[in-house]
PDB file of all heavy atoms in Angstrom:
ATOM      1  N   GLN B 172      11.696 -10.380   5.065  1.00 87.00           N
ATOM      2  CA  GLN B 172      10.216 -10.506   5.387  1.00 87.00           C
ATOM      3  C   GLN B 172       9.368 -10.964   4.271  1.00 87.00           C
ATOM      4  O   GLN B 172       9.379 -10.396   3.176  1.00 87.00           O
ATOM      5  CB  GLN B 172       9.755  -9.207   5.936  1.00 87.00           C
ATOM      6  CG  GLN B 172       8.254  -9.161   6.392  1.00 87.00           C
ATOM      7  CD  GLN B 172       7.967  -9.930   7.669  1.00 87.00           C
ATOM      8  OE1 GLN B 172       7.821 -11.055   7.699  1.00 87.00           O
ATOM      9  NE2 GLN B 172       8.086  -9.142   8.748  1.00 87.00           N
ATOM     10  N   ILE B 177      -3.978 -15.968   2.801  1.00 93.00           N
ATOM     11  CA  ILE B 177      -4.673 -17.106   2.263  1.00 93.00           C
ATOM     12  C   ILE B 177      -6.080 -16.927   2.900  1.00 93.00           C
ATOM     13  O   ILE B 177      -6.357 -16.560   3.941  1.00 93.00           O
ATOM     14  CB  ILE B 177      -4.167 -18.381   2.939  1.00 93.00           C
ATOM     15  CG1 ILE B 177      -2.677 -18.613   2.381  1.00 93.00           C
ATOM     16  CG2 ILE B 177      -4.960 -19.573   2.725  1.00 93.00           C
ATOM     17  CD1 ILE B 177      -1.968 -19.852   3.125  1.00 93.00           C
ATOM     18  N   GLU B 185     -24.040 -13.512   1.071  1.00 97.00           N
ATOM     19  CA  GLU B 185     -24.357 -12.382   1.910  1.00 97.00           C
ATOM     20  C   GLU B 185     -24.802 -12.860   3.284  1.00 97.00           C
ATOM     21  O   GLU B 185     -25.487 -13.772   3.488  1.00 97.00           O
ATOM     22  CB  GLU B 185     -25.417 -11.477   1.322  1.00 97.00           C
ATOM     23  CG  GLU B 185     -25.750 -10.213   2.081  1.00 97.00           C
ATOM     24  CD  GLU B 185     -26.880  -9.340   1.486  1.00 97.00           C
ATOM     25  OE1 GLU B 185     -27.593  -9.938   0.518  1.00 97.00           O
ATOM     26  OE2 GLU B 185     -27.026  -8.233   1.831  1.00 97.00           O
ATOM     27  N   LEU B 191     -10.145 -13.619   7.105  1.00 97.00           N
ATOM     28  CA  LEU B 191      -8.990 -13.572   6.128  1.00 97.00           C
ATOM     29  C   LEU B 191      -7.772 -13.699   6.900  1.00 97.00           C
ATOM     30  O   LEU B 191      -7.686 -13.169   8.021  1.00 97.00           O
ATOM     31  CB  LEU B 191      -9.080 -12.213   5.352  1.00 97.00           C
ATOM     32  CG  LEU B 191     -10.449 -11.901   4.788  1.00 97.00           C
ATOM     33  CD1 LEU B 191     -10.282 -10.530   3.978  1.00 97.00           C
ATOM     34  CD2 LEU B 191     -10.815 -13.021   3.755  1.00 97.00           C
ATOM     35  N   CYS B 193      -3.427 -13.670   7.373  1.00 98.00           N
ATOM     36  CA  CYS B 193      -2.163 -13.020   6.976  1.00 98.00           C
ATOM     37  C   CYS B 193      -1.145 -13.704   7.812  1.00 98.00           C
ATOM     38  O   CYS B 193      -1.211 -13.517   9.118  1.00 98.00           O
ATOM     39  CB  CYS B 193      -2.317 -11.489   7.139  1.00 98.00           C
ATOM     40  SG  CYS B 193      -0.770 -10.633   6.898  1.00 98.00           S
ATOM     41  N   ILE B 200       7.985  -7.341  14.126  1.00 91.00           N
ATOM     42  CA  ILE B 200       7.294  -6.186  13.355  1.00 91.00           C
ATOM     43  C   ILE B 200       7.028  -5.087  14.343  1.00 91.00           C
ATOM     44  O   ILE B 200       6.874  -5.234  15.477  1.00 91.00           O
ATOM     45  CB  ILE B 200       6.026  -6.648  12.780  1.00 91.00           C
ATOM     46  CG1 ILE B 200       4.929  -7.120  13.672  1.00 91.00           C
ATOM     47  CG2 ILE B 200       6.353  -7.812  11.822  1.00 91.00           C
ATOM     48  CD1 ILE B 200       3.604  -7.340  13.100  1.00 91.00           C
ATOM     49  N   TYR B 201       6.879  -3.891  13.769  1.00 89.00           N
ATOM     50  CA  TYR B 201       6.464  -2.733  14.592  1.00 89.00           C
ATOM     51  C   TYR B 201       4.944  -2.500  14.525  1.00 89.00           C
ATOM     52  O   TYR B 201       4.320  -2.181  15.489  1.00 89.00           O
ATOM     53  CB  TYR B 201       7.157  -1.469  13.985  1.00 89.00           C
ATOM     54  CG  TYR B 201       7.010  -0.274  14.934  1.00 89.00           C
ATOM     55  CD1 TYR B 201       7.820  -0.113  15.893  1.00 89.00           C
ATOM     56  CD2 TYR B 201       5.949   0.640  14.656  1.00 89.00           C
ATOM     57  CE1 TYR B 201       7.702   1.029  16.792  1.00 89.00           C
ATOM     58  CE2 TYR B 201       5.794   1.765  15.567  1.00 89.00           C
ATOM     59  CZ  TYR B 201       6.652   1.930  16.498  1.00 89.00           C
ATOM     60  OH  TYR B 201       6.461   3.001  17.410  1.00 89.00           O
ATOM     61  N   ASN B 202       4.317  -2.670  13.340  1.00 92.00           N
ATOM     62  CA  ASN B 202       2.874  -2.767  13.302  1.00 92.00           C
ATOM     63  C   ASN B 202       2.458  -3.524  12.067  1.00 92.00           C
ATOM     64  O   ASN B 202       3.212  -3.847  11.267  1.00 92.00           O
ATOM     65  CB  ASN B 202       2.360  -1.167  13.210  1.00 92.00           C
ATOM     66  CG  ASN B 202       2.782  -0.455  12.100  1.00 92.00           C
ATOM     67  OD1 ASN B 202       2.871  -0.930  10.970  1.00 92.00           O
ATOM     68  ND2 ASN B 202       3.122   0.785  12.337  1.00 92.00           N
ATOM     69  N   LYS B 212      -8.569   1.103  -8.122  1.00 92.00           N
ATOM     70  CA  LYS B 212      -8.529   2.139  -7.038  1.00 92.00           C
ATOM     71  C   LYS B 212      -7.395   2.101  -6.272  1.00 92.00           C
ATOM     72  O   LYS B 212      -6.565   1.117  -6.139  1.00 92.00           O
ATOM     73  CB  LYS B 212      -9.845   2.145  -6.178  1.00 92.00           C
ATOM     74  CG  LYS B 212     -11.096   2.109  -7.017  1.00 92.00           C
ATOM     75  CD  LYS B 212     -11.298   3.530  -7.612  1.00 92.00           C
ATOM     76  CE  LYS B 212     -12.745   3.480  -8.187  1.00 92.00           C
ATOM     77  NZ  LYS B 212     -13.001   4.787  -9.123  1.00 92.00           N
ATOM     78  N   LEU B 214      -5.557   2.160  -2.095  1.00 94.00           N
ATOM     79  CA  LEU B 214      -5.797   1.505  -0.886  1.00 94.00           C
ATOM     80  C   LEU B 214      -6.461   2.407   0.140  1.00 94.00           C
ATOM     81  O   LEU B 214      -6.103   3.493   0.359  1.00 94.00           O
ATOM     82  CB  LEU B 214      -4.484   0.955  -0.327  1.00 94.00           C
ATOM     83  CG  LEU B 214      -3.859  -0.244  -0.986  1.00 94.00           C
ATOM     84  CD1 LEU B 214      -3.622  -0.199  -2.447  1.00 94.00           C
ATOM     85  CD2 LEU B 214      -2.717  -0.764  -0.164  1.00 94.00           C
ATOM     86  N   THR B 215      -7.500   1.700   0.838  1.00 95.00           N
ATOM     87  CA  THR B 215      -8.200   2.362   2.005  1.00 95.00           C
ATOM     88  C   THR B 215      -7.748   1.672   3.192  1.00 95.00           C
ATOM     89  O   THR B 215      -7.930   0.394   3.329  1.00 95.00           O
ATOM     90  CB  THR B 215      -9.656   2.346   1.788  1.00 95.00           C
ATOM     91  OG1 THR B 215     -10.032   2.981   0.534  1.00 95.00           O
ATOM     92  CG2 THR B 215     -10.421   2.998   2.901  1.00 95.00           C
ATOM     93  N   SER B 223       2.350  -3.962  20.123  1.00 92.00           N
ATOM     94  CA  SER B 223       2.018  -4.236  21.491  1.00 92.00           C
ATOM     95  C   SER B 223       0.532  -4.549  21.684  1.00 92.00           C
ATOM     96  O   SER B 223       0.058  -4.823  22.873  1.00 92.00           O
ATOM     97  CB  SER B 223       2.331  -2.932  22.345  1.00 92.00           C
ATOM     98  OG  SER B 223       1.666  -1.794  21.879  1.00 92.00           O
ATOM     99  N   GLY B 230     -16.278  -1.041  13.574  1.00 97.00           N
ATOM    100  CA  GLY B 230     -17.567  -1.527  12.999  1.00 97.00           C
ATOM    101  C   GLY B 230     -17.721  -2.988  12.927  1.00 97.00           C
ATOM    102  O   GLY B 230     -17.591  -3.733  13.992  1.00 97.00           O
ATOM    103  N   SER B 239       3.964 -13.638  18.050  1.00 93.00           N
ATOM    104  CA  SER B 239       4.948 -14.763  18.167  1.00 93.00           C
ATOM    105  C   SER B 239       4.673 -15.842  17.211  1.00 93.00           C
ATOM    106  O   SER B 239       5.773 -16.479  16.827  1.00 93.00           O
ATOM    107  CB  SER B 239       4.712 -15.258  19.578  1.00 93.00           C
ATOM    108  OG  SER B 239       3.340 -15.789  19.816  1.00 93.00           O
ATOM    109  N   TYR B 246     -11.458 -10.376  10.704  1.00 98.00           N
ATOM    110  CA  TYR B 246     -12.785 -10.975  10.787  1.00 98.00           C
ATOM    111  C   TYR B 246     -13.819 -10.010  10.323  1.00 98.00           C
ATOM    112  O   TYR B 246     -13.779  -8.742  10.741  1.00 98.00           O
ATOM    113  CB  TYR B 246     -13.045 -11.354  12.273  1.00 98.00           C
ATOM    114  CG  TYR B 246     -14.359 -11.835  12.543  1.00 98.00           C
ATOM    115  CD1 TYR B 246     -14.658 -13.200  12.345  1.00 98.00           C
ATOM    116  CD2 TYR B 246     -15.400 -11.065  13.146  1.00 98.00           C
ATOM    117  CE1 TYR B 246     -16.014 -13.665  12.614  1.00 98.00           C
ATOM    118  CE2 TYR B 246     -16.645 -11.515  13.363  1.00 98.00           C
ATOM    119  CZ  TYR B 246     -16.869 -12.802  13.194  1.00 98.00           C
ATOM    120  OH  TYR B 246     -18.202 -13.243  13.564  1.00 98.00           O
ATOM    121  N   ILE B 247     -14.654 -10.378   9.373  1.00 98.00           N
ATOM    122  CA  ILE B 247     -15.675  -9.548   8.792  1.00 98.00           C
ATOM    123  C   ILE B 247     -16.969 -10.189   9.265  1.00 98.00           C
ATOM    124  O   ILE B 247     -17.399 -11.327   8.835  1.00 98.00           O
ATOM    125  CB  ILE B 247     -15.688  -9.381   7.312  1.00 98.00           C
ATOM    126  CG1 ILE B 247     -14.312  -8.747   6.874  1.00 98.00           C
ATOM    127  CG2 ILE B 247     -16.750  -8.418   6.865  1.00 98.00           C
ATOM    128  CD1 ILE B 247     -14.082  -8.666   5.376  1.00 98.00           C
ATOM    129  N   ALA B 249     -21.193 -10.474   9.403  1.00 98.00           N
ATOM    130  CA  ALA B 249     -22.332 -10.166   8.504  1.00 98.00           C
ATOM    131  C   ALA B 249     -22.001  -9.525   7.281  1.00 98.00           C
ATOM    132  O   ALA B 249     -22.417  -8.387   6.955  1.00 98.00           O
ATOM    133  CB  ALA B 249     -23.337  -9.266   9.332  1.00 98.00           C
ATOM    134  N   GLN B 251     -21.567  -8.133   3.403  1.00 97.00           N
ATOM    135  CA  GLN B 251     -22.379  -7.537   2.523  1.00 97.00           C
ATOM    136  C   GLN B 251     -21.915  -7.441   1.101  1.00 97.00           C
ATOM    137  O   GLN B 251     -20.647  -7.412   1.020  1.00 97.00           O
ATOM    138  CB  GLN B 251     -22.736  -6.117   3.097  1.00 97.00           C
ATOM    139  CG  GLN B 251     -23.373  -5.959   4.428  1.00 97.00           C
ATOM    140  CD  GLN B 251     -23.331  -4.566   4.944  1.00 97.00           C
ATOM    141  OE1 GLN B 251     -22.897  -3.589   4.243  1.00 97.00           O
ATOM    142  NE2 GLN B 251     -23.974  -4.421   6.186  1.00 97.00           N
ATOM    143  N   PHE B 274       4.044  -5.847   1.868  1.00 93.00           N
ATOM    144  CA  PHE B 274       2.672  -6.230   1.576  1.00 93.00           C
ATOM    145  C   PHE B 274       2.523  -7.697   1.209  1.00 93.00           C
ATOM    146  O   PHE B 274       3.341  -8.234   0.593  1.00 93.00           O
ATOM    147  CB  PHE B 274       2.096  -5.397   0.412  1.00 93.00           C
ATOM    148  CG  PHE B 274       1.797  -3.978   0.735  1.00 93.00           C
ATOM    149  CD1 PHE B 274       2.816  -2.974   0.724  1.00 93.00           C
ATOM    150  CD2 PHE B 274       0.547  -3.561   1.064  1.00 93.00           C
ATOM    151  CE1 PHE B 274       2.509  -1.666   1.005  1.00 93.00           C
ATOM    152  CE2 PHE B 274       0.204  -2.248   1.325  1.00 93.00           C
ATOM    153  CZ  PHE B 274       1.249  -1.407   1.386  1.00 93.00           C
TER     154      PHE B 274
END
Side-chain angles (χ1 to χ4, degrees):
Chain B
Q172 176 75 273
I177 295 174
E185 183 180 13
L191 306 181
C193 173
I200 67 169
Y201 189 85
N202 61 39
K212 305 291 186 183
L214 276 62
T215 299
S223 58
S239 59
Y246 175 82
I247 302 177
Q251 303 170 357
F274 284 83

